[in-house]
Amino acid sequence: MSDFYREQHKLRLAYMPWLYPRLKPRHRDWAVPWQAELQRQWSILETVHFGVHCFVAPQARLFAEPGRDIHVGDGSHIAADCVLHGPLRLGASVSLNHHVTLEGGAAGIEIGDHTRVAAYCTLYAFDHGMDAAALVREQPVRSRGIRIGRDVWLGARVGVVDGVTIGDHAVVGMGAVVTRDVPAWTIVAGNPARVIGHRPGAPIHRGGAPRHGETP
């Protein structure tokens, strides 16, 4: 394999990291050591903790000062041009596609196992005050945190504001802005995001709403 081809293959993986677990053995021979060294360097530079079988693009930007740790669960993928600032905790098999921004604020962001975050999503776990008596840059900053459940799908260019919890198995449509909690199993869309349905086959209970965190 030529150096040029290998560099192109690395670039492909950086922007499509879901290909990493599917690599043929001849590609894994160079890709696994490449990833091990990248993750080792990140762990030296920042308080970043990787599980096993993770992938992180070299073009990603991870910032984790002491006390703002980033935990990346087993089998999770971080694509190119993502910007992550702790405190953050990604569960197992979480996928962050390219250009995702996660800003943990003070309270942090938690993302549950098997959740998919599509390209250009932005999650900000802090907010400024808006009192008219002071400039915006002088306003106090608060942080309540963001909690994303298990098996959630955030479509491309979704925005999630501080204080929001998105329940397990929920789906957020492309371009939605989530300003309030999303119940488990629901599909939301729009700005601000509103419930437009439920995942087919979801367990529906009295009152029409699935219970938060319930699995089938």
Side-chain angles (χ1 to χ4, degrees), residues 71 87-91 94 96 102-104 107-113 115 117 123 125 144-150 152 154 160 164-166 168:
H71 294 266
L88 306 172
R89 184 174 291 275
L90 310 183
V94 171
L96 305 182
L102 304 180
E103 169 52 67
I109 296 172
E110 295 182 8
I111 299 180
D113 298 347
T115 285
V117 182
L123 285 67
R144 295 179 292 170
I146 293 173
R147 306 292 178 263
I148 310 296
R150 183 179 188 274
V152 172
L154 304 185
V160 182
V164 163
T165 295
I166 297 179
D168 296 344

Side-chain angles (χ1 to χ4, degrees), residues 173-193:
M174 181 184 294
V177 178
V178 185
T179 61
R180 63 185 71 179
D181 290 354
V182 176
W185 295 106
T186 57
I187 302 171
V188 301
N191 182 4

Side-chain angles (χ1 to χ4, degrees), residues 184-205:
W185 295 106
T186 57
I187 302 171
V188 301
N191 182 4
R194 291 182 171 83
V195 175
I196 61 170
H198 298 90
R199 285 179 60 173
I204 306 298
H205 298 274

